[in-house]
Structures are given as structure tokens and as C-alpha cells.
Amino acid sequence: MYEFEQIDRLSDVKITDNNSELSNNLFSPNSDGQDSGKKVASRANGNSIEEIAFSEGLIPLEIIRDSCTAEAENMLRKLGRVAEGDAPWVPIGSMGPLIIIAHCDPNSEDTWGIPDLLCVKVVISAEKYMVLLEDLHSRFDLKPLSAISPLDDFSLPSREEDPISIIKWFVDNYPLTLNEKQKWYKLIIDNEGTDIHCPEHYKGLPRHYAVAFYKFLEGKLCFNPEEVPIQKSFSEQLLEKHGVYPLYFGQRFIYLLCDNQKTHEFEDEWLSEGHEAREIIPVLADRDSVRSAIAKSRGSTFKTNDIVEACELHYSEDQNLLDIDPVEIAEVNPLNPNTSPEEVIKWVLFRAVSGRGSDLHVEKYYNTARFRARIDGSLKTIHSCSEEQLPRFIALFKNFSNMGHQHQNLQDARFGMKIGRKRIDVRVSAMPCRKENQKLTMRFLDKQDGIKELSELHLSERQLGIVSSTMTRDQGLVLVTGPTGSGKTTTLYAFINSINQDDINIHTIEDPIEYEIEGINQTQTDEFHGIDFATGLRALLRADPDVILVGESRDEETATAAINAALTGHLVLTTLHANDSLRAVSRLISMGVEPYLLGDALAMSQAQRLVKKLCSYCKREVPVSNKIQDLFYKNRVISDQINEPIYEAEGCEECGGSGFLGRVAIMEMCPINQLISEMISSGSSMSEMRKEAAKHGVLSLYQEGMKQVVLGNTTIEEVSKLSHFGAME
């Protein structure tokens, strides 16, 4: 969440010579070595942020974010652009088809070659700019951008052209996904021959697309990131009454998010309360985003509870921090006998993280020692060496994490890792093996990308509606099931973060705490102090919680305590190991939970898996045969023939030749209606409950996977691995 941090004058922010070292050949292949930091400072010197923004027709923004969003980074990768100068505009977010870029000097021309028409520009402080620029360097140190752009050969449309013509140009030239293009084509067909000039005409698209495209057509100031600044200057009643929200509150100007240009009624009431007059500048946003911004900013402090705070696990700045320089590590040859073990370890960690690895395995394999990274769900060997070197490597990892050097004990610990500005928490587990060997397994927890928004889970409209209605309930049990590594914790964090606001007391009990969430109380289980899931949950009920997250219901005691909490006025979320959403019911009953209690408590059960996501750079179109059409129709994925192609993996440099880049979650989401609840209580068979769920639109994991194939996100072969999770019918 952003907050206001008042920096009145850019001249008050000093930029040292060291900051200029952030500029390198990544951004400036032909750099003349000039001090970019000094140039930036000199251009902006003597002007306030709001004065600069107003004079240039841009938006001032005081942010505390220290990194660009993953969406903004992906947008640059889609465009294939590289900046040409040494002080480029920094991407901080995206807005549908547009990219939000920030700079302290609005006169800078280095926008990555992206036309102004496709950007939303904001002005930030010089200090914040340098922080964001450093973060951008670290991101592209890990994986440089391609110099090839899909936008090299196009001409911009004239604003005098009719909106439909501009939309057609946009669809043909911008790197949209197949699903996005289909929505735009539908918009063209539905509105051919009409005059569409306002967001109301784009209701068929996600609302941020509608707002963004209005800017695209009209050249209006426009802003709609997922997060907005926390404001403390206006009453909630005033903002809700007029449907506005302050994006920026300065000495001379107020930039107001609103869904129209009519701000005079707000201004009149603001002045009537005795406040000093300021110029009101409307910034276009959709109504739902304004309401969401008001809701997020309610209050400025978070609730805290004093329950077992001593057992909470936090990332500490005093924790061992392994600093890896991407530039230096690029020169390391792990096969050179003169390379030190410390350098080899840093090289291996860098390779694992930069290759999108989620885990690293260090182990003996026959007569060698091998390092394997789990990338997109599959293990891949990234380095091998002689087995004689293995004890040294294990000892070094244990030193980093302050582990003891006993080889016969089970051990768990953590250490921190810094790659550029990227901060990663590494969770280490040591397991004894035969012949006094040991295996280390490390889980990488990215502090910047760990907490997802609901929009990042790629939920369907139906699924989003189910989650929204479930998370607004006063009580009930929410189950998320799946094997280890299926993204259960990520999903649960996204769920509770969607309701993270001042009037809701949220508390978690976890083992371990994977990511710290601002505004949420998190407790680590601790066997030494007698805190497990069951005892912690019972203690927590005395701390007046509204929403509870229990990391895992491992036994009857924990499951029963969670259900009792759900029946006594709390919304409880927990995970369970079960193959599908309804099998979780039989799993709990087999653990000893009374069916009538479970039937009354259960609000939603969800099963999920992660499948490999096709690389958008190289995925290859394949025609939809009659056999595939029949397969889709049989599994209720389509109701009519589809004319769009599906895709298969090809392989390119971006994805390392695998044809896949990342993973996508497949979710089988089953809300528990009255009839299913009664069936659980009465002990009905699993097949009967499945038939009832199917009547209400619940699709199996396999069916949901097939929908992802149609959307172009994965392949039939990948989904076929879920074939034993067949249709609900």
C-alpha cells in the first residue's frame, strides 16, 4: 500500500556520485559515461513535484514502493524494448493496455521507445526515482531484455480517426494475449458504426481496460493501479458522498481520482469546511476503483494482539545476509578448479533464482554431488561436481543459516539473500541420509512477489464471485486442498489480503510463516513453547479475531478446533491434503470430525494444482481438430464449436528451450450450498455430492485445466496429467 510522504522540493533530495553508477550498458549501449544522477538533479532543481507535474500535464505521485510490479516488467518484456539513455523512465505498474512509468524529470525522452500514447506518466521524487532505477537494474541483471521489438514497424493512428478505427489499430499492433484480443474483437463487432467515447461503453472488458482506453482515445489524465496512496486529509464521508479519492494532496493542487470531470460539488463542500483553496485536477478512474480506494484507506493504524508474540517469526535485518553481485557472478566459472566453494555456491544460487527456481536441492548422486533447481514444477540439474566437495558446500550453507553441523539430526533454519535490490528469504531443511551423508533442500521466498492480489490468480468471473461472497461471510470454514507445492499458501494469502482492512482483525497460525503481511497478525508454531496448530487456535479465540488462517489441519484436534471456531462466529481458512474439493469432506470425516458439524460449518472447498504455462514468446498455434472439439465439448469446456487455435510448446531462448515459462493455477472451486450441506450432514455418497455440485456449475480440476488450454495458457498434454480428476458428472 502506498502512503503520502511529503517531499516539497526535489532540490532537497541529494543525489551522490555513487548513484550515477546505477547506469550501465544495460540501459545505454552507447553511453558516454556522463553522470545521469547529476543531470536528473539539475533538470529538476528548484521545482516542487506538483509544479513540475502541473506544468507538464502529468500526475504527481509520492510512493513508498521500492520496486516495479511484475506486471510492468512483463509488459516491457512483451514489448521487447530496451532503453537507450542512462536515465530512463521507470515502469511502476500497468493499466490494462497501458504502462505506468515514473521519472523525476518529465523532460526525459527515454521512454523505452514506447510512444506517449501508450504510457501513463507520473512524476516522483529524485530520491525515489533512484531507488526504483536500482531495482530495475537488478531485475534485468538477472534476465536482460531482448533488443527486438514487435512495435518497431508501426505508425500511430490519428486522434481524428473514429474510435473503432483506433481500436482496430490497437488490437493489430499491441502485444495482447489471445483472450484479450478476443474481447477487443467482440467490442469492435458489438459497436461497429457507433460512437464510443466513454468508459461506460467498455463494460465487456475489465474495468481498468475501459479507463485506460478512454485515455488512449481522449488523451485524459488517467490512473488506475491496484494500489493507491493512503490518505489522511479527508473524511471518509466526504469522499464517499462525492465518489472521489485524492491521488495526490499538495500545497497548491489536489489530484482527485473520479469517474467523471465534475468535481465542483466536492470543491464547494471542502471550502465550506474552512479549508484553504487548492486547484482541483480530476484524474479519470472507474467508480469501483474509487470505492475500493476509499475502503482500503479506512483508518491509518492496524490492530494488534499480544497473543504469543514472542513466537512470531520475522525477517530480520540482523539475519545472515548473503550478498550476490550479478555482475561479478557472471564472471564465475564453477568448473574452474581455482574457483572457491563460496563463489560456486553464489553462482548456483544465482542460477537457481534467475532461472525462476522455487527450490534448490543439494545432494549426493552416485559418485557426484549435484545441485538441482525446481523450475516450473520440474527438477533440473544446474551443476555437478565431485562428491568430495559436497561436505564443504553443505558446511557453508549451514554457516549461512546458523545451523549446527551435526549430520544425524533433522534441522531447519533460514538465511537472507540479496541479488541486486532483490531480497529473498531462503528456508533451509537438512535431512540425514545413509553413510553419514546429508541432503539440503532450500525454498526461495521472494519478499516482493510473494503476496498476490486476487487479480493475479487468473480467476474466472464465476470463481471471483465465489471468493468475494465467501470472504465477506461472518463465519464459515474455507478449505484449500492440494499437494505440497501446489500454491495453497499463495492462494490463502491472496484471499485474506483481499479483506485486509482496519475494521477486520485477521490472525494466522502458520508453520512456517512464509511471507509477512502488513496489517495481519501472524504467529509461528513453536513446539518448544507448546504452540501447535490446535493449542494456538484455542488461544487465539480469546484474542477476538474476525478471520483466522490455520496453516494446515493435520489431525482431528486441529480440524475440530477449526470447525468449532467456524461455528462460533469466525471465518476460518485452512489447508488440507486431499485430491479434490469434495474428497476433502471424506478426509475430514475419516479424521474423526462429526459430519453434522462439518455440514454446518463448511462454506467452500477448493482443490488446486499448478501446471506449466506456455511461453508467450514461442508457443505455436495448432488447429483444433474434430477430436479435440469433441474432447472440449464432452468436458463442458465449450458449448459450441471454437474457431480459434490452441497452442503447443515450441522452445526458445526466453524459456530455455522448454516451451514453458512459469506456471498457472488450476482451481476446482466448490461453494457449499444448502443441499450439499445437508448431504454432508446425512452422510451421502461422494458421487451424489459430485452430481449436485455439477448441477451448479462446479467443474473438476481436469475440466478447469481444459479451459486453460482454450485460453492458450497451457497444453492438453499438461492437463492430461490431471486426467484422474475427471468430470464432476
Side-chain angles (χ1 to χ4, degrees):
M1 183 74 71
Y2 299 143
E3 294 180 357
F4 281 107
E5 61 174 91
Q6 293 296 332
I7 301 177
D8 292 331
R9 303 185 69 83
L10 292 177
S11 57
D12 295 335
V13 180
K14 305 298 183 182
I15 299 180
T16 66
D17 290 343
N18 291 334
N19 286 330
S20 65
E21 297 174 6
L22 296 173
S23 302
N24 61 28
N25 291 336
L26 170 65
F27 296 101
S28 181
N30 301 313
S31 174
D32 57 4
Q34 295 182 22
D35 189 336
S36 63
K38 291 179 179 179
K39 288 192 289 183
V40 168
S42 64
R43 290 172 183 167
N45 190 41
N47 294 304
S48 69
I49 291 178
E50 59 183 359
E51 290 171 339
I52 293 172
F54 181 75
S55 65
E56 299 293 332
L58 305 179
I59 302 172
L61 197 64
E62 302 282 6
I63 64 174
I64 63 169
R65 172 186 285 165
D66 290 337
S67 63
C68 72
T69 64
E71 291 77 11
E73 180 185 345
N74 291 336
M75 185 68 74
L76 288 183
R77 295 197 183 281
K78 274 187 179 180
L79 295 168
R81 292 286 181 177
V82 293
E84 297 178 356
D86 50 6
W89 287 77
V90 178
I92 62 170
S94 61
M95 189 171 67
L98 307 179
I99 188 167
I100 304 169
I101 55 178
H103 210 294
C104 58
D105 178 14
N107 296 316
S108 175
E109 298 179 352
D110 193 0
T111 59
W112 303 80
I114 306 170
D116 286 348
L117 189 64
L118 307 182
C119 300
V120 176
K121 294 182 176 179
V122 300
V123 181
I124 60 176
S125 72
E127 181 183 49
K128 186 57 63 177
Y129 171 78
M130 299 307 295
V131 172
L132 290 167
L133 183 63
E134 186 180 353
D135 168 72
L136 198 65
H137 274 276
S138 69
R139 287 170 178 266
F140 295 128
D141 282 341
L142 292 176
K143 190 176 182 182
L145 288 172
S146 169
I148 302 172
S149 171
L151 295 183
D152 280 336
D153 300 317
F154 77 94
S155 57
L156 291 173
S158 167
R159 290 198 183 273
E160 285 144 18
E161 294 182 34
D162 67 279
I164 291 294
S165 298
I166 297 178
I167 293 174
K168 287 180 176 178
W169 170 89
F170 171 82
V171 174
D172 291 338
N173 288 278
Y174 210 82
L176 303 173
T177 66
L178 177 63
N179 190 38
E180 292 165 349
K181 286 193 176 188
Q182 288 174 340
K183 291 181 177 179
W184 283 107
Y185 288 136
K186 185 178 185 304
L187 181 70
I188 294 172
I189 295 170
D190 293 346
N191 293 276
E192 194 75 54
T194 66
D195 186 26
I196 49 176
H197 277 85
C198 69
E200 292 296 313
H201 291 103
Y202 312 124
K203 286 185 175 179
L205 299 171
R207 60 181 193 263
H208 58 282
Y209 275 75
V211 178
F213 203 74
Y214 187 55
K215 181 265 184 186
F216 188 80
L217 289 175
E218 300 293 324
K220 305 286 186 182
L221 281 175
C222 161
F223 194 72
N224 188 27
E226 292 294 327
E227 297 176 310
V228 294
I230 296 175
Q231 68 85 30
K232 303 177 183 178
S233 304
F234 304 87
S235 69
E236 294 172 22
Q237 294 77 11
L238 179 66
L239 300 178
E240 288 176 342
K241 179 180 179 180
H242 299 286
V244 298
Y245 189 85
L247 181 64
Y248 173 86
F249 180 73
Q251 299 294 322
R252 293 177 52 194
F253 306 102
I254 301 176
Y255 284 69
L256 276 185
L257 284 178
C258 53
D259 64 345
N260 56 55
Q261 306 293 308
K262 299 177 182 178
T263 59
H264 58 276
E265 292 181 355
F266 166 85
E267 186 175 11
D268 291 343
E269 186 164 346
W270 167 256
L271 294 174
S272 70
E273 294 178 354
H275 298 289
E276 183 180 346
R278 287 174 170 83
E279 186 166 350
I280 306 294
I281 302 178
V283 180
L284 185 69
D286 62 281
R287 186 169 302 175
D288 288 342
S289 290
V290 176
R291 291 172 177 170
S292 175
I294 297 171
K296 284 185 177 182
S297 72
R298 289 194 176 105
S300 58
T301 59
F302 295 106
K303 296 179 180 179
T304 58
N305 293 308
D306 57 2
I307 179 175
V308 291
E309 288 183 348
C311 299
E312 294 192 7
L313 197 67
H314 296 284
Y315 185 86
S316 173
E317 293 294 335
D318 296 329
Q319 180 180 359
N320 285 353
L321 186 65
L322 186 62
D323 197 348
I324 300 177
D325 187 330
V327 178
E328 292 180 0
I329 214 66
E331 305 296 325
V332 172
N333 179 4
L335 301 178
N336 189 326
N338 296 321
T339 303
S340 69
E342 292 85 351
E343 290 177 314
V344 173
I345 282 179
K346 289 184 177 182
W347 183 89
V348 168
L349 289 169
F350 177 81
R351 280 286 307 276
V353 172
S354 62
R356 308 183 316 281
S358 60
D359 303 81
L360 178 67
H361 296 238
V362 184
E363 61 201 346
K364 182 178 180 297
Y365 183 68
Y366 290 101
N367 297 319
T368 64
R370 66 179 179 182
F371 299 79
R372 293 189 295 169
R374 189 173 295 279
I375 300 173
D376 297 338
S378 300
L379 285 171
K380 180 181 179 182
T381 299
I382 58 177
H383 181 60
S384 297
C385 59
S386 67
E387 65 175 313
E388 288 79 15
Q389 295 177 276
L390 182 60
R392 175 60 173 161
F393 291 138
I394 290 178
L396 284 171
F397 278 119
K398 285 190 170 186
N399 283 338
F400 294 149
S401 52
N402 290 327
M403 265 188 193
H405 290 277
Q406 308 91 332
H407 66 270
Q408 70 273 22
N409 296 339
L410 296 172
Q411 296 174 286
D412 291 289
R414 293 191 176 199
F415 69 91
M417 184 165 58
K418 180 183 178 186
I419 303 179
R421 284 195 57 84
K422 198 176 187 69
R423 296 292 293 268
I424 296 169
D425 195 5
V426 185
R427 194 172 74 217
V428 188
S429 174
M431 175 75 70
C433 299
R434 63 187 180 91
K435 295 183 179 180
E436 300 188 352
N437 290 311
Q438 295 178 81
K439 174 177 179 175
L440 296 185
T441 306
M442 280 159 271
R443 169 66 57 89
F444 302 128
L445 303 173
D446 191 330
K447 296 295 184 179
Q448 296 172 343
D449 298 329
I451 311 301
K452 305 290 185 184
E453 300 287 340
L454 284 181
S455 59
E456 298 178 83
L457 299 182
H458 304 292
L459 302 176
S460 67
E461 291 186 10
R462 173 187 169 276
Q463 291 173 328
L464 189 59
I466 293 172
V467 173
S468 299
S469 63
T470 302
M471 295 306 295
T472 55
R473 292 176 57 141
D474 293 330
Q475 64 181 56
L477 178 67
V478 177
L479 293 175
V480 176
T481 73
T484 301
S486 60
K488 299 188 297 296
T489 301
T490 298
T491 297
L492 286 176
Y493 278 1
F495 285 180
I496 61 173
N497 199 43
S498 69
I499 56 170
N500 183 11
Q501 54 197 48
D502 189 59
D503 60 345
I504 299 177
N505 182 18
I506 305 173
H507 205 129
T508 76
I509 303 175
E510 305 172 67
D511 180 26
I513 297 173
E514 294 197 0
Y515 300 102
E516 295 178 12
I517 309 177
E518 191 88 20
I520 292 177
N521 304 287
Q522 297 171 269
T523 298
Q524 166 74 49
T525 60
D526 188 339
E527 292 184 4
F528 182 79
H529 292 89
I531 303 174
D532 56 21
F533 285 122
T535 57
L537 180 54
R538 285 194 293 270
L540 179 58
L541 294 178
R542 300 189 290 272
D544 189 32
D546 298 306
V547 179
I548 302 169
L549 188 155
V550 182
E552 185 179 352
S553 294
R554 297 173 177 173
D555 49 43
E556 179 187 354
E557 188 180 10
T558 305
T560 301
I563 289 172
N564 287 332
L567 291 171
T568 54
H570 308 88
L571 183 64
V572 181
L573 295 85
T574 188
T575 68
L576 190 72
H577 289 288
N579 282 338
D580 56 54
S581 58
L582 288 176
R583 205 171 297 275
V585 173
S586 61
R587 175 90 168 88
L588 286 171
I589 293 173
S590 68
M591 290 167 61
V593 174
E594 294 291 344
Y596 72 93
L597 292 176
L598 180 59
D600 289 343
L602 192 57
M604 183 184 80
S605 183
Q606 173 179 310
Q608 67 181 60
R609 299 291 188 276
L610 296 177
V611 297
K612 293 179 181 179
K613 186 178 182 182
L614 281 165
C615 174
S616 59
Y617 297 95
C618 66
K619 62 182 183 182
R620 182 174 66 243
E621 293 184 1
V622 292
V624 180
S625 65
N626 291 335
K627 183 178 179 181
I628 294 175
Q629 289 273 6
D630 292 342
L631 182 65
F632 288 154
Y633 184 79
K634 177 183 176 182
N635 286 280
R636 297 163 52 201
V637 177
I638 58 173
S639 57
D640 200 359
Q641 184 170 335
I642 60 172
N643 298 315
E644 297 293 333
I646 59 174
Y647 295 87
E648 64 181 17
E650 177 75 11
C652 66
E653 184 179 348
E654 290 289 337
C655 61
S658 69
F660 298 95
L661 196 61
R663 289 186 289 176
V664 61
I666 295 175
M667 299 181 182
E668 175 188 303
M669 196 175 290
C670 181
I672 306 301
N673 58 27
Q674 183 64 34
L675 185 54
I676 296 178
S677 175
E678 293 173 358
M679 294 172 76
I680 294 172
S681 299
S682 63
S684 298
S685 68
M686 189 65 59
S687 61
E688 290 175 321
M689 287 190 286
R690 289 183 186 280
K691 289 178 181 179
E692 178 60 27
K695 290 178 183 177
H696 295 276
V698 178
L699 301 180
S700 70
L701 282 166
Y702 181 69
Q703 290 170 312
E704 292 286 0
M706 284 301 190
K707 288 177 66 176
Q708 294 296 326
V709 174
V710 174
L711 293 173
N713 291 329
T714 191
T715 65
I716 292 177
E717 290 74 21
E718 282 298 308
V719 176
S720 296
K721 298 174 183 178
L722 305 174
S723 59
H724 53 295
F725 305 110
M728 279 287 180
E729 299 170 309

